[in-house]
Structure formats: structure tokens, C-alpha cells
Amino acid sequence: MNIYQEELLDHYENPSNYGTLPRCTISHEEDNPLCGDQIRIDLLIEDDTVKEVRFCGHGCTISLAAASMLTEKIEGKSLDEVKQLSKDDILDMIGIPLGPVRLKCALLALKVLKAGAYGITAWPGEEDE
Amino acid sequence: MHKLEFRPFDIEAIRKDFPIFTTDPPLAFLDNAASTQTPRPVVEAMDAYYDTYRSNIHRGIYRISEEATEQYERAREKVAQLINAPRSRQVIFTRNTTESINLVAYSWGSTNIGEGDEIVLTTMEHHSNLVPWQLLAQRTGATLRFVEITDEGLLDFTQLRDLLTEKTKLVAIGHVSNVLGTINPIQSIIDMAHAVDAKVIVDAAQSVPHFQVDVQQLDCDFLAFSGHKMCGPTGIGVLYGKSELLEEMPPFLGGGSMIRSVERDVSSYAELPAKFEAGTPSIAEAIGLGHAIDYITQANLAAIHVHEQELLKYAHQRLEQIEGITLYGPAPHQKMGVISFNMEGIHPHDVAGILDTHGVAVRAGHHCAQPLMKRLDVIATVRASLYLYNTIEDVDRLYEGLCRAQKLMTRRKIT
Ligand SMILES: Cc1ncc(COP(=O)(O)O)c(C=O)c1O
């Protein structure tokens, strides 16, 4: 299956929740030193729930599409639910097999989210290694 | 340089030696600066070791161990011949270029570099010819100085001249840039460094595989390269050094093979090259490298160079036609078969990813040269790099793949 299928390209072309939140509870940014991709996620948390989310940054199709899909997924979710999101959830969202390098691209947004919201600094899937 | 006769270059025959190219359409493998493919004769030579005389070297008093020792040492002689080292004992087998450079940084560096000394590098060094010197500088209080590059991707010679002073103890320089392909004029640089009594280590990872390098003519003090970039296996590299330097240097790693005699508290060390080859080495890989050298010298290094230059010129002509492409580095006649580029508005990862779906293997990233990326003011580039088995069709596939990437991506908003 091709990485460059329409759904991913659509997210890349018209990302959901792109931008920043002037008034937010959490704002966190990280980059992937391997390729320089950079993603920032802003969260507005109310009643332990993600009220609003925005992301911005630059990167390849996979990293930006994954960020766009992730923000759609977490809006309205409780912080507990968000914390449960795993590497496999992202892979299911992307829906295509990825090699190890592109895997990091796909997981960058989730890593930023978890580092910002919970202080978890490990890459998703490598937490207990 | 050696006189090399020019033999016609039979690309069809060469490609038959590489099973990886037998698919239809064949893989367009353009990541040779990272690692090259392995021809059958090299794999067969290593198989022969495993199948018929597998044993450790140097110690065994039985036939197959003697055979293994002989083959291992023959490989060393082939390396010495290739680079015209005066004696094969000046050829130390390591794992790769990186280990060779670290060996010099630890062993030579620990006894020859001190506080206030200066080590001159360039902005285009691979991390493996940069980080070992950073570590040495941190250990000793020495200072690193960098020769900048011009906008064309060439070394700034005026600045180099100013940097070389009596404080300079070492010049560590890449022969050919793995990102820009720039061929640095190392003969002049070595002469200039020697004029201020500095030693020179040449990172020849991207030169020895592609053209004749003569260590005696260059008069370099150390030279390092990797087997896996010249049709050989991974896990084998070379350090060449001048005898008087290698003799004086303390050992790098301690253990078996590198000793003459061992007492409880002290040991005396073996002669060269064993002094620097502690433990069981990569025997099959050394033998493989020997056969890789046979392979590329039979194909003829001069002919390989001409072949790559033709492909490089052709590739430049084609890629320059693509709208929104930026090519980095000097013009084809000043460089080797390495093309670094970016496509406007398309992330290098996406370019490489789309090319992959088109059967074209290229690299995208910082190519272990982050200071150079910074100098070029880019986060990453796409890099296509050539070797003897590449064809015009490979370049055409690259061109078509790039056009496809452009069509797919540039109608899209770039965030
Ligand atoms: C110029 C240069 N120097 C050093 C190296 C490091 O080689 P190795 O990884 O085999 O140690 C490379 C290869 O990537 C290179 O291109």
C-alpha cells in the first residue's frame, strides 16, 4: 500500500485544528532531531477534558497528517482517555505499514502530546524499555 | 598517481554480478554514499571461508587456521597495494572509518594533543570526523577550528591559510564530501599543514571507493576508509598510518592478539599491525574486502570514475530541468557522483518516500553532517549518489520519480 494515499494527503493539505490557542492550559513543542520535523500542540483543558486543541509546525506528510488526525481524535476526550492512546492507535489511524524511520514521523505528535500533558518523554511504544 | 590503463567498461557484465538488480524493473539504487551493494565474488569469497576454512587466525596450529591467517593477511596486502602503502603492516583493520578515526583520536591524540593546541576541521565533515575531535578537545583542552565553505560548496582557502599556525597540531579533513560531493584539494592542504608541522588525517570514506588514492604521494599521516562503501561487507574498515607515528602510539584497545607478553601488572605489546588489532577481528569481512578490492580494480577505478562522471553530468542536466529544485554543492566537474537537492515545498522525507514507491532508493536527512546543514540553511536534503553499477536508466527513473513527487505534492498547501 502506498504511503501517499489520498486520505493522508488530504490531512496534509487541509489539516484539522491547525494553528495555536492564544488561551491554553498546555503548550508544548518538540522536534525529531533525525529529520528536523517540529510540532507544537496547544491544549485547552476544562474539567479534565480536552476542550480545544490546535497544532502547528513543519514536517513531512506523515508527521503532519498524523498530528491532524490525532487532534481530531482527542477533542472532547478526557485526560484519562488521552493518556491511554498508544502507538498502535496512531498506526490504526494512519492505516498503512510504516518503516522504522517513518514510524517516528507518525509518532511525533503523540510524543509531543504526552510530554506536554503528562511529562512522559519516551517515544510512544518505548515507554518501558 | 599511478598510471592506470583505461579499459572499456562493461556495465552489463558488472550488473550481472549483483543479484539485487535482477528484478524487473531493476531497483534504482542511488544511496551508494551510505553503503554499496555487494557483488557475487565478494559474497562467494566469504562463503568459502565459512564453508571450508572457518577458524580463528594467528593462533591455530592446524591447516585451516593457517589458511585463514594467510587469507586475512593477503587482504591486508591488497589494501596496502590499493592505496600504495609502503608496507602492509601500516594497514590496520578496524570496523569502519569511524573506528579508525577514533583510534587516532584516542591513541595519537592522548600523547600528542594538549591544552592550547588547535585541531583544524572543515564545516563539511561527517560527524565521524568531527565528534571524535570534540571529545579529544574536551579531554585535553585543545580547540577546534573550522574552515568555512563558499556558497559554491568549496573550501575557503584564504581562511584555511589563516587558520594554519604553529598552534595547529592536526588537520582532520574529508577527501570528498558525502553531502556535496566536493573533492577537496587535499594534496595542497597536506603540504600547507606540514609547512606548520601539523599532522593530517584524511577521511577517505568517499574517495578510496571511487578513484586511486596514493598515500605516499599525498604524504598524509593517517587515512581512514570503510569496506562497505566499496563493494565490500559491513564490519571492516581501514586505518593507514605512517610507520613512525603508529610505532610510537600507545595501544587503543587492550586484549588478546595485541600483546607480546603479559604479566600480572604490565604487558608489552605486539608489533604493528597486531598492536592495534585487539581481539578476534572481522575475518570473513577482511577477506571480503580483499575481494572487493580485486573487483573494483578489475573493473578499473579510472573507468569507474569516468562512468560516474558521465552519469553525474547527465543527472545534473536532467534534474536542473525540474522546476523548484535546488541543487547544493559545486558543478559536476568539481565533485564526485553525489547530488544533494531539495524540492520547493516538499519535505525531503516525502521526496524520498515517493521515490521509494517508484523503485528509487535515495537518502533524505542530515547525512551525519549537521554543521553543514546549518551552513546551507536547510534542515535536511535529499541525496542521490552513484557507483559503478548505476545506469542512465537509474537517473531517468530518479527524474521521473521527482516529477511524480512534484505532481502529487505541489498542488497541496504546505504548512
Ligand atoms: C565522508 C564520510 N566519513 C565517514 C563516514 C563514516 O563511515 P562509517 O559509518 O563506515 O564509519 C562516512 C559514511 O557515512 C562518510 O561518508
Side-chain angles (χ1 to χ4, degrees):
Chain A
M1 213 180 325
N2 195 331
I3 293 183
Y4 296 92
Q5 56 179 9
E6 279 306 311
E7 197 195 347
L8 286 178
L9 288 175
D10 284 344
H11 272 278
Y12 180 70
E13 183 180 21
N14 287 311
S16 307
N17 301 311
Y18 193 86
T20 57
L21 290 175
R23 195 176 67 86
C24 63
T25 329
I26 293 162
S27 174
H28 189 70
E29 175 178 310
E30 282 192 31
D31 58 8
N32 175 359
L34 273 182
C35 53
D37 287 4
Q38 195 172 42
I39 285 181
R40 166 176 156 184
I41 295 183
D42 290 358
L43 296 168
L44 179 65
I45 310 288
E46 277 176 14
D47 303 328
D48 281 340
T49 300
V50 178
K51 195 89 192 337
E52 271 193 88
V53 53
R54 293 281 185 281
F55 85 97
C56 64
H58 54 82
C60 63
T61 320
I62 305 282
S63 61
L64 294 184
S68 166
M69 291 170 161
L70 179 67
T71 58
E72 286 181 354
K73 200 176 175 80
I74 65 172
E75 205 161 25
K77 289 262 164 63
S78 76
L79 277 178
D80 279 346
E81 284 172 297
V82 171
K83 195 171 184 180
Q84 298 308 318
L85 286 176
S86 69
K87 167 181 158 186
D88 288 338
D89 293 318
I90 302 291
L91 290 182
D92 286 347
M93 256 168 28
I94 302 257
I96 49 165
L98 293 174
V101 175
R102 302 312 294 274
L103 188 64
K104 286 266 194 305
C105 303
L107 295 177
L108 180 60
L110 183 60
K111 180 172 190 284
V112 172
L113 176 67
K114 292 203 162 185
Y118 313 102
I120 301 170
T121 53
W123 281 95
E126 294 175 6
E127 291 92 348
D128 30 352
E129 274 167 32
Chain B
M1 299 258 164
H2 288 281
K3 273 181 222 84
L4 283 170
E5 60 172 308
F6 187 79
R7 243 180 280 157
F9 191 72
D10 188 350
I11 184 96
E12 288 309 317
I14 285 171
R15 285 177 70 83
K16 286 208 180 83
D17 291 328
F18 294 83
I20 201 162
F21 298 130
T22 50
T23 54
D24 183 27
L27 170 70
F29 186 75
L30 296 171
D31 193 20
N32 294 290
S35 205
T36 55
Q37 297 300 329
T38 320
R40 282 310 301 167
V42 171
V43 177
E44 281 159 14
M46 292 192 289
D47 278 353
Y49 164 73
Y50 283 117
D51 290 346
T52 63
Y53 60 99
R54 174 83 166 84
S55 55
N56 212 327
I57 54 168
H58 295 320
R59 292 176 273 258
I61 311 180
Y62 47 91
R63 193 186 55 75
I64 60 169
S65 173
E66 285 164 2
E67 165 86 6
T69 308
E70 211 168 279
Q71 294 297 334
Y72 181 75
E73 291 305 325
R74 190 167 298 163
R76 194 190 308 280
E77 281 158 25
K78 287 176 187 177
V79 173
Q81 249 172 22
L82 176 73
I83 59 173
N84 195 27
R87 303 165 76 178
S88 63
R89 51 185 297 189
Q90 293 170 263
V91 170
I92 317 288
F93 281 131
T94 62
R95 275 189 308 137
N96 48 37
T97 308
T98 304
E99 186 176 295
S100 299
I101 295 172
N102 276 278
L103 191 163
V104 176
Y106 277 90
S107 169
W108 181 85
S110 68
T111 47
N112 289 279
I113 297 288
E115 196 163 346
D117 288 344
E118 294 187 352
I119 299 168
V120 170
L121 314 166
T122 81
T123 324
M124 62 171 98
E125 294 316 312
H126 188 282
H127 293 167
S128 79
N129 196 29
L130 167 57
V131 182
W133 308 118
Q134 291 174 344
L135 292 169
L136 176 63
Q138 283 157 18
R139 285 197 301 273
T140 58
T143 308
L144 305 185
R145 300 261 175 239
F146 291 86
V147 185
E148 299 297 332
I149 58 168
T150 65
D151 290 341
E152 296 78 50
L154 303 173
L155 287 182
D156 180 343
F157 243 69
T158 329
Q159 194 223 354
L160 170 62
R161 208 164 278 128
D162 293 341
L163 278 184
L164 294 174
T165 66
E166 75 283 357
K167 282 193 195 156
T168 313
K169 289 293 173 308
L170 180 74
V171 177
I173 179 144
H175 197 170
V176 170
S177 161
N178 67 309
V179 178
L180 302 175
T182 311
I183 307 167
N184 288 320
I186 53 163
Q187 183 74 71
S188 318
I189 296 170
I190 291 167
D191 295 345
M192 285 159 68
H194 285 168
V196 297
D197 270 341
K199 303 290 182 225
V200 180
I201 178 167
V202 178
D203 172 356
Q206 299 293 348
S207 59
V208 165
H210 300 275
F211 57 86
Q212 190 81 44
V213 174
D214 181 331
V215 291
Q216 290 192 66
Q217 181 182 339
L218 287 175
D219 196 31
C220 55
D221 300 287
F222 299 103
L223 180 122
F225 58 95
S226 298
H228 68 91
K229 294 183 198 282
M230 50 193 288
C231 290
T234 56
I236 188 79
V238 169
L239 173 68
Y240 157 84
K242 280 188 180 161
S243 284
E244 63 270 25
L245 296 172
L246 293 174
E247 301 277 7
E248 279 175 12
M249 282 157 55
F252 173 41
L253 301 175
S257 300
M258 53 74 73
I259 41 84
R260 180 178 319 166
S261 70
V262 177
E263 315 223 359
R264 284 189 181 218
D265 296 319
V266 287
S267 299
S268 58
Y269 306 118
E271 300 288 320
L272 292 174
K275 180 167 94 174
F276 291 111
E277 292 182 5
T280 300
S282 301
I283 302 168
E285 288 75 10
I287 293 166
L289 173 59
H291 283 78
I293 290 172
D294 291 345
Y295 191 83
I296 59 174
T297 45
Q298 268 159 31
N300 191 324
L301 277 169
I304 291 173
H305 189 54
V306 170
H307 174 71
E308 289 176 11
Q309 285 296 319
E310 277 171 6
L311 285 182
L312 178 65
K313 271 189 217 122
Y314 178 70
H316 262 253
Q317 278 167 17
R318 290 229 79 177
L319 296 200
E320 276 162 11
Q321 291 164 5
I322 298 173
E323 210 181 305
I325 198 169
T326 306
L327 301 174
Y328 304 101
H333 68 279
Q334 286 169 310
K335 71 170 190 177
M336 296 299 296
V338 177
I339 308 170
S340 267
F341 61 93
N342 267 318
M343 307 267 288
E344 194 181 343
I346 315 181
H347 192 286
H349 264 178
D350 287 328
V351 177
I354 294 164
L355 286 174
D356 180 45
T357 65
H358 206 68
V360 179
V362 298
R363 187 151 290 246
H366 54 58
H367 317 294
C368 296
Q370 287 182 350
L372 177 58
M373 294 294 114
K374 205 162 214 174
R375 168 63 180 83
L376 297 173
D377 199 21
V378 296
I379 287 163
T381 71
V382 186
R383 179 186 72 187
S385 52
L386 306 164
Y387 208 21
L388 75 165
Y389 37 65
N390 286 123
T391 60
I392 292 281
E393 288 75 27
D394 292 341
V395 176
D396 287 340
R397 297 261 300 287
L398 170 67
Y399 172 81
E400 288 153 16
L402 290 175
C403 293
R404 188 164 123 173
Q406 201 175 39
K407 227 181 254 153
L408 195 61
M409 303 294 293
T410 49
R411 70 186 172 93
R412 309 204 170 250
K413 178 176 130 236
I414 305 307
T415 47

